[in-house]
């Protein structure tokens, strides 16, 4: 499949200029049809995929595992969202006073900060690594990791301004001291290449409602085989434990055993319509190839950066080109909020964009645009035309 064909499968990309993937995804025709079929079966009281759930769930787990370079389907658990995945790992770790967690709070989404702040009540030290400019300072991050570090956490693409993080050096530093490396991949999964084995990632959380082109209310959690049995989930249910041949609704024994892999983090029932939708989306992403999507989306983002910068707008640029992503941000971080910029020129530009039916968002005073497989050079031209207007 080529990208022009892929674009035709996304009505939202055809009836407007959709550059808001950093906030939420749009569904393809196939994903929409799969979700509606699942809802329709419930509406009509007909058996759905939950009647043969394990085979279906394993199929979807396996597809996401392929997308991120995981070894197998059992390394993947379903969650509700990225926040639940992050909290599942944090609450499964046995922290003691004197332990530390390493992060760069200034570049993280608040949901990858609050849960670590809560650990201060247990005497856990938060080692807050200052950024280098608007980027993760990898050298300082690695230097902050020591034998008392239990978890180091970072986003594969920062919340703002949207630069990639070089994950491998941090993952290798964690391996040396036995710390867990936890990655928030919500701004990269489905658009950019992520390889959990290459980058020494021990756990990775994401939602399906952005680059994975799925729905709200569903996420994935990867936990490496080396770490899965060392973590005891705070939430346990029938799907977390080893079951015999009996019906899943029956309590088989008080002497239960947790599953030996990431599936131990699945406690309750599943969001079947969202899982049906994400299977269709994963099929499309795997067919296109994540490396091709990365090159396509990042290339369009580079064109937009160049065009905006050519007329003097304050475009955010990573210090090294390889850290740029599919996200384009314009402005000066912190000069504004989640609604508008402090710069009247950018606010006037934002008004023109809305008039031109361009979907984008504002984060920390920055105008943010995001590209994906359905994007095209026409989208870049619409934005630049609005600016010229």
């Amino acid at each position: 499949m080529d990208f022009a064909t892929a674009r035709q499968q996304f009505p939202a990309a055809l009836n407007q200029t959709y550059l808001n993937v950093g906030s939420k995804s749009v569904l393809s025709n196939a994903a929409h049809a799969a979700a509606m079929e699942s809802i329709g079966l419930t509406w009509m009281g007909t058996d759905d995929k939950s009647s043969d759930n394990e085979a279906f769930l394993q199929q979807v787990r396996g597809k996401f595992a392929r997308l991120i370079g995981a070894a197998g389907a059992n390394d993947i658990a379903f969650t509700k969202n990225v926040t639940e995945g992050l909290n599942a790992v944090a609450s499964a770790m046995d922290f003691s006073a004197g332990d530390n967690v390493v992060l760069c709070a200034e570049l993280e989404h608040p949901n990858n900060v609050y849960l670590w702040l809560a650990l201060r009540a247990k005497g856990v030290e938060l080692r807050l690594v200052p950024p280098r400019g608007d980027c993760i300072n990898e050298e300082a991050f690695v230097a902050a990791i020591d034998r008392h570090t239990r978890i180091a956490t970072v986003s594969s693409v920062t919340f703002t301004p949207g630069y990639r993080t070089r994950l491998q050096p941090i993952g290798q530093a964690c391996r040396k001291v036995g710390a867990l490396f936890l990655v928030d991949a919500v701004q990269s999964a489905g658009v950019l290449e992520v390889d959990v084995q290459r980058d020494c990632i021990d756990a990775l959380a994401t939602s399906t409602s952005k680059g994975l082109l799925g729905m709200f209310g569903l996420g994935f959690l990867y936990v490496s085989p080396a770490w899965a049995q060392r973590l005891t989930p705070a939430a346990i249910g029938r799907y977390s434990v080893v079951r015999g041949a009996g019906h899943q609704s029956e309590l088989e024994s008080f002497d239960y055993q947790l599953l030996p892999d990431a599936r131990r983090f699945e406690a309750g029932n599943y969001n079947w319509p969202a899982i049906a939708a994400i299977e269709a989306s994963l099929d499309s992403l795997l067919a296109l190839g994540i490396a091709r999507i990365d090159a396509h989306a990042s290339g369009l983002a580079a064109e937009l950066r160049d065009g905006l910068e050519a007329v003097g707008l304050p475009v955010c640029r990573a210090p090294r080109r390889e850290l740029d992503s599919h996200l384009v941000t314009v402005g000066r971080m912190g000069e504004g909020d989640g609604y508008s910029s402090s710069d009247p020129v950018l606010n006037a530009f934002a008004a023109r964009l809305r008039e031109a039916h361009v979907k984008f968002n504002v984060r920390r005073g920055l105008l943010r645009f995001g590209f994906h497989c359905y994007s095209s050079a026409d989208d870049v031209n619409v934005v630049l035309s609005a600016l010229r207007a």
Side-chain angles (χ1 to χ4, degrees), residues 37 51 79 93 115 123 125 151 161 182 231 234 250 281 304 320 327 341 353:
E37 179 185 9
S51 60
T79 61
M93 181 74 78
L115 70 166
E125 175 194 358
I151 292 179
L182 172 62
L231 299 172
E250 299 295 331
S281 293
L304 181 58
R320 300 192 301 276
L327 299 177
S341 170
L353 290 168

Coordinates of all heavy atoms in Angstrom, one line a residue, residues 37 51 79 93 115 123 125 151 161 182 231 234 250 281 304 320 327 341 353:
E37 N -18.9 -3.2 14.1 CA -19.4 -4.6 14.0 C -19.4 -5.1 15.5 O -20.4 -5.8 15.8 CB -18.4 -5.4 13.2 CG -18.8 -6.9 13.1 CD -17.8 -7.7 12.4 OE1 -16.7 -7.2 12.0 OE2 -18.1 -8.9 12.2
S51 N -16.3 -14.7 22.9 CA -16.6 -16.1 23.0 C -15.4 -17.0 22.7 O -15.3 -18.1 23.1 CB -17.7 -16.5 22.0 OG -17.4 -16.2 20.7
T79 N -4.3 -2.4 28.6 CA -4.7 -1.4 29.7 C -5.7 -0.5 29.1 O -6.2 -0.7 28.0 CB -3.4 -0.6 30.1 OG1 -3.0 0.1 29.0 CG2 -2.3 -1.5 30.6
M93 N 6.2 -2.1 41.8 CA 7.6 -2.0 42.4 C 7.5 -1.9 43.9 O 6.8 -1.1 44.4 CB 8.3 -0.9 41.7 CG 9.8 -0.7 42.1 SD 10.8 -2.0 41.4 CE 11.0 -1.4 39.7
L115 N 2.5 10.5 39.5 CA 2.6 9.2 40.1 C 4.0 9.1 40.9 O 4.1 8.4 41.9 CB 2.5 8.0 39.2 CG 3.6 7.8 38.1 CD1 3.4 6.4 37.5 CD2 3.5 8.8 37.0
G123 N 9.4 8.0 51.2 CA 10.8 8.3 51.3 C 11.6 8.1 50.1 O 12.8 8.0 50.1
E125 N 13.3 9.2 46.7 CA 13.9 10.5 46.1 C 13.5 10.6 44.7 O 13.7 9.7 43.9 CB 15.4 10.5 46.3 CG 16.1 11.7 45.7 CD 17.6 11.5 45.6 OE1 18.1 10.5 46.0 OE2 18.2 12.4 45.0
I151 N 13.7 3.0 39.2 CA 13.1 3.3 37.9 C 13.7 4.6 37.3 O 13.9 5.6 38.0 CB 11.6 3.4 38.0 CG1 11.0 2.1 38.4 CG2 11.0 3.9 36.7 CD1 9.4 2.1 38.5
P161 N 8.8 20.1 23.5 CA 8.2 20.5 22.1 C 8.1 19.4 21.1 O 7.8 19.6 20.0 CB 9.3 21.5 21.7 CG 10.6 21.0 22.3 CD 10.2 20.4 23.6
L182 N 11.5 2.6 32.1 CA 10.1 2.7 31.7 C 10.0 3.8 30.7 O 10.3 5.0 31.0 CB 9.3 3.0 33.0 CG 7.8 3.3 32.8 CD1 7.1 2.1 32.2 CD2 7.2 3.6 34.2
L231 N 7.7 -8.2 39.2 CA 6.7 -7.1 39.5 C 5.4 -7.8 40.0 O 4.9 -8.7 39.3 CB 6.5 -6.2 38.3 CG 7.7 -5.5 37.8 CD1 7.4 -4.8 36.5 CD2 8.2 -4.5 38.8
A234 N -0.6 -4.3 41.6 CA -1.5 -3.9 42.7 C -2.9 -4.3 42.4 O -3.7 -4.6 43.4 CB -1.4 -2.4 42.8
E250 N -15.3 -18.9 37.3 CA -15.2 -19.7 38.5 C -13.9 -19.4 39.3 O -12.9 -19.3 38.7 CB -15.4 -21.2 38.2 CG -16.7 -21.5 37.5 CD -17.9 -21.4 38.4 OE1 -17.7 -21.5 39.6 OE2 -19.0 -21.1 37.9
S281 N -6.3 -1.3 12.7 CA -5.2 -0.3 12.5 C -3.8 -0.9 12.5 O -3.0 -0.5 11.7 CB -5.4 0.8 13.7 OG -6.6 1.5 13.5
L304 N 7.3 21.4 6.6 CA 6.6 22.4 7.3 C 7.5 23.3 8.2 O 7.3 24.5 8.1 CB 5.5 21.8 8.2 CG 4.6 22.9 8.9 CD1 3.9 23.8 7.9 CD2 3.5 22.2 9.7
R320 N 19.9 18.5 17.2 CA 20.4 17.5 16.1 C 19.2 17.1 15.3 O 18.2 16.7 15.8 CB 21.1 16.3 16.7 CG 22.3 16.7 17.6 CD 23.2 15.5 17.9 NE 22.4 14.5 18.7 CZ 22.2 14.5 20.0 NH1 22.7 15.4 20.7 NH2 21.6 13.5 20.6
L327 N 6.2 15.7 14.9 CA 5.6 16.8 15.5 C 6.3 18.1 15.1 O 7.6 18.1 15.2 CB 5.5 16.6 17.0 CG 4.7 15.4 17.5 CD1 4.7 15.3 19.0 CD2 3.2 15.5 17.0
S341 N -1.2 31.3 22.7 CA 0.2 31.8 22.9 C 0.2 33.2 23.5 O -0.8 33.9 23.4 CB 0.9 31.8 21.5 OG 2.2 32.4 21.6
L353 N -5.7 29.5 10.7 CA -5.7 28.1 10.6 C -7.1 27.5 10.8 O -7.6 26.6 10.1 CB -4.7 27.4 11.5 CG -3.2 27.7 11.2 CD1 -2.3 27.2 12.3 CD2 -2.8 26.9 9.9

